[in-house]
Amino acid sequence: MSARVINAVEFPGNPVEYLDVGGIGSSAQSTPAFWLWLGIELDPGNGQAIPHGRQLSVWQLPPPAPPNFDVLLGMDFLSLFELVLNDRTCTFTQN
């Protein structure tokens, strides 16, 4: 998550750890990690949305963070869903 999102979300407490994270061609930087329940409400079509997700370790993107991204989702989260990408639309369904 970007620092902007980290500051906007009320995390329950301090970081649980600091991780050394680096991108391709950059040196690793220490960045805070938090535990957060991350989910998406799925609509089964009956008007009652069902939350689906899991507790994950969320890391703050180290600077310089990509300017047009606030959240990068990993396979640990994406594997919970079946995704359909159609042009600029992404549809999540329960896996």
Side-chain angles (χ1 to χ4, degrees):
M1 292 186 158
S2 69
R4 186 170 70 92
V5 171
I6 297 279
N7 293 329
V9 174
E10 293 184 24
F11 282 92
N14 295 321
V16 293
E17 64 181 328
Y18 285 82
L19 305 169
D20 290 332
V21 177
I24 296 172
S26 67
S27 59
Q29 297 181 47
S30 182
T31 187
F34 304 86
W35 281 107
L36 178 70
W37 192 90
L38 185 61
I40 295 176
E41 288 190 354
L42 300 175
D43 183 358
N46 61 6
Q48 296 182 2
I50 301 168
H52 188 69
R54 76 165 43 144
Q55 185 89 1
L56 298 171
S57 176
V58 176
W59 310 345
Q60 180 175 326
L61 291 169
N68 297 323
F69 296 93
D70 282 320
V71 177
L72 298 174
L73 299 173
M75 286 307 298
D76 54 346
F77 180 76
L78 293 174
S79 65
L80 300 173
F81 304 95
E82 182 176 314
L83 304 173
V84 176
L85 299 172
N86 186 2
D87 193 23
R88 299 183 129 216
T89 302
C90 180
T91 303
F92 288 78
T93 55
Q94 189 170 354
N95 205 2

